[in-house]
Amino acid sequence: MANTTNLNLTFGDVTLGVSGARFRYIFAYDRGGLESLVRDGKEWLYRTPVPVFWRATTDNDRGNGFSQRSAMWLGADLFTHCTHVAVAVDGQAIPLPIAPENNRYTDHETAEKVAITFTYTTPTVPATTVDITYEVIAGGGLTVAVHYHGAAGLPELPALGLRIVMPTLAQGFDYQGLSGETYPDRMAGGQPGTYHVAGLPVTPYLVPQECGMHMATDWVTVTRERTLNNADPNHQAFQLTVREHGTPFAFSALPYTPAELENATHQEELPAPRRTVLTIYGAVRGVGGIDSWGADVEPQYHLAGDTDHSFQFEIVAGDAQV
């Protein structure tokens, strides 16, 4: 398994470390995902990324009963758990390297490519699964693939994505895509281009609800200045970029999770902003807006729960060419 490339592997009792000159990733089997993503000494994860099934409901969702029809996806968004882990090194599947299996590895294992797949099972009725595969190549390139397995009898999905919670608030973000806030059925007014957004703005609706979506995105770069590391006094800006892999994606960058928005019935009930919640979406249900008293979203903007959905994206260094 040893070779001369620059991916260094560390097989822990419940973790797999993958590192190189400017990066360090830690995949945790017990936590069910990527536990640490460090680039140039800066940590980008506060929580393990998890599959997303819910976007906060809107007045239109409530008016047409979608919140009730698809309520089990809110539970899935909160309580889906990892049920299987698979590891492949240089294209070869290996036994899950936990103790005592990991004892056969040295402390200087290297590889050209590592792929680790976490399978999550939803608490829905019926249950289904989502596979999230992280593939790391020499140099630290990280590709993330999400595959949702549809199951007959499941209600329509509000969204399908991956939530990345960062330790501190971002100073803002830049992206290439459509201007302003856009949704699958609200894209006509968006103009393609490159845009900068200061801070993490939340639309000040009287009742907090879904906001901040950006469709048809080629890349987004998040800029932070602070970490939670008390030994790191350097407050200079540092960045992380997510780039499309095959097809554009949708994203939102907010200081709140959908559950936090859902729980507040007025703006003052929202918690103090402390984190950056970057969500990368492969699919999103439309928001409607024909009226707020019963009209459903147009059929082409529904998101079926009984069919498969897949998407991919790349996490690249902040100074990489996008």
Side-chain angles (χ1 to χ4, degrees):
M1 190 176 296
N3 54 50
T4 59
T5 58
N6 64 342
L7 277 186
N8 303 308
L9 308 185
T10 303
F11 294 94
D13 284 348
V14 293
T15 60
L16 172 60
V18 183
S19 62
R22 299 176 59 187
F23 64 92
R24 185 190 75 239
Y25 311 139
I26 299 177
F27 299 93
Y29 316 133
D30 57 340
R31 293 183 180 272
L34 180 60
E35 183 177 45
S36 176
L37 192 165
V38 173
R39 288 287 181 86
D40 294 322
K42 307 294 186 180
E43 176 63 73
W44 282 92
L45 293 183
Y46 184 72
R47 291 282 187 263
T48 301
V50 292
V52 168
F53 308 102
W54 191 260
R55 59 155 179 74
T57 50
T58 66
D59 289 338
N60 295 310
D61 293 326
R62 302 180 192 112
N64 63 48
F66 177 72
S67 307
Q68 289 76 32
R69 295 194 303 274
S70 292
M72 68 173 67
W73 288 120
L74 175 56
D77 200 82
L78 294 171
F79 299 114
T80 290
H81 63 290
C82 181
T83 52
H84 183 71
V85 182
V87 180
V89 177
D90 288 334
Q92 180 66 45
I94 64 174
L96 185 61
I98 59 176
E101 171 68 24
N102 61 331
N103 292 335
R104 71 186 184 90
Y105 296 102
T106 69
D107 61 354
H108 53 269
E109 303 287 342
T110 60
E112 294 181 351
K113 179 174 66 175
V114 175
I116 181 165
T117 299
F118 297 92
T119 298
Y120 301 82
T121 299
T122 64
T124 53
V125 180
T128 191
T129 58
V130 177
D131 299 321
I132 298 180
T133 299
Y134 298 89
E135 183 177 276
V136 188
I137 60 173
L142 180 59
T143 300
V144 184
V146 179
H147 182 77
Y148 165 87
H149 298 268
L154 285 173
E156 294 177 11
L157 285 154
L160 177 67
L162 188 74
R163 180 179 304 122
I164 302 170
V165 180
M166 300 174 180
T168 58
L169 287 172
Q171 273 52 60
F173 56 92
D174 298 85
Y175 71 96
Q176 181 171 291
L178 299 179
S179 60
E181 182 181 85
T182 51
Y183 287 87
D185 51 357
R186 292 290 182 271
M187 294 175 62
Q191 297 297 314
T194 301
Y195 301 96
H196 172 74
V197 177
L200 300 171
V202 177
T203 306
Y205 295 116
L206 179 63
V207 178
Q209 55 193 279
E210 166 61 29
C211 62
M213 188 70 68
H214 301 276
M215 302 294 298
T217 303
D218 297 318
W219 55 262
V220 56
T221 296
V222 177
T223 301
R224 292 166 51 217
E225 291 182 355
R226 294 184 178 273
T227 70
L228 294 182
N229 182 1
N230 291 332
D232 180 12
N234 185 355
H235 293 161
Q236 293 183 347
F238 53 100
Q239 298 178 318
L240 191 76
T241 295
V242 173
R243 179 172 60 195
E244 61 89 13
H245 186 86
T247 57
F249 57 86
F251 81 94
S252 65
L254 299 167
Y256 304 117
T257 65
E260 288 172 321
L261 290 171
E262 202 76 68
N263 192 54
T265 57
H266 294 87
Q267 286 287 325
E268 66 271 16
E269 295 174 4
L270 288 168
R274 301 176 64 190
R275 318 287 177 212
T276 298
V277 181
L278 174 67
T279 307
I280 307 299
Y281 295 95
V284 184
R285 174 184 165 90
V287 291
I290 299 171
D291 60 48
S292 295
W293 303 276
D296 202 353
V297 173
E298 291 294 315
Q300 63 268 37
Y301 304 118
H302 290 214
L303 186 57
D306 58 359
T307 60
D308 287 15
H309 302 282
S310 298
F311 69 99
Q312 299 182 64
F313 60 91
E314 300 175 26
I315 299 177
V316 301
D319 57 358
Q321 293 294 317
V322 294

